[in-house]
Amino acid sequence: ASQKQTAHIEILSFSFPPHKHNFLYQITNMSGVWVFKNGVVRLVENTGDCQGATGRRKVLVHLSSDEVITSYAVLERKLYSLGWERYYDDPDLLQYHKRSTIHLISLPKDFNRFKSMHMYDIVVKNRNEFEVRDM
């Protein structure tokens, strides 16, 4: 017997640090809960943060160059070329805003704390530009 997978979307709030837009919502499905909050998307499930069901480490890849993002300097160059600008609202985060959108990318200052939830946030906000892969 096949099971239907359904998703439940719930809008929890609407406000934004760049003074205009933000939203917090979650999508619930069979594999866990996707939580979108303060410009970051993350899947809340019973697996490790940087490892998926395969147990392998996740990496962010820039698709057109097939380059693995190994530092914030590399990522920032890619984001700037896509029209993202640095946003200096929170001294504890690296943040990027794209004028033509309501999106805000928020990252920990320390690249060692760059997790899969941050990678997926970048992928969602830059369709067809980045991909998360198992390493």
Side-chain angles (χ1 to χ4, degrees), residues 9 17 23 25 35 45 52 56 68 73 75 92 112 115 124-125:
I9 300 175
F23 50 92
Y25 65 93
V35 177
E45 59 180 15
R56 291 185 270 176
V68 174
L75 177 60
D92 297 326
N112 291 323
K115 307 291 184 194
V124 166
K125 293 173 181 169

Side-chain angles (χ1 to χ4, degrees), residues 120-132:
Y120 285 114
D121 183 46
I122 292 167
V123 169
V124 166
K125 293 173 181 169
N126 294 278
R127 300 252 181 241
N128 304 315
E129 297 292 338
F130 294 93
E131 178 179 84
V132 177

Side-chain angles (χ1 to χ4, degrees), residues 98-112:
K98 196 170 189 179
R99 286 182 191 245
S100 61
T101 71
I102 62 169
H103 297 308
L104 180 71
I105 296 172
S106 297
L107 307 171
K109 283 239 175 178
D110 181 358
F111 189 77
N112 291 323

Side-chain angles (χ1 to χ4, degrees), residues 50-61 68 116 119-120 131-135:
C50 275
Q51 296 180 351
T54 62
R56 291 185 270 176
R57 189 173 68 91
K58 302 284 188 186
V59 293
L60 182 65
V61 177
V68 174
S116 62
M119 295 176 197
Y120 285 114
E131 178 179 84
V132 177
R133 296 181 187 164
D134 290 330
M135 193 62 159

Side-chain angles (χ1 to χ4, degrees), residues 16-19 86-96 104 106:
F16 199 47
H19 313 298
R86 185 74 191 276
Y87 186 73
Y88 295 94
D89 186 53
D90 188 332
D92 297 326
L93 298 171
L94 291 177
Q95 294 183 306
Y96 300 90
L104 180 71
S106 297

Side-chain angles (χ1 to χ4, degrees), residues 5-9 27-29:
Q5 287 200 4
T6 60
H8 172 77
I9 300 175
I27 300 172
T28 307
N29 64 23

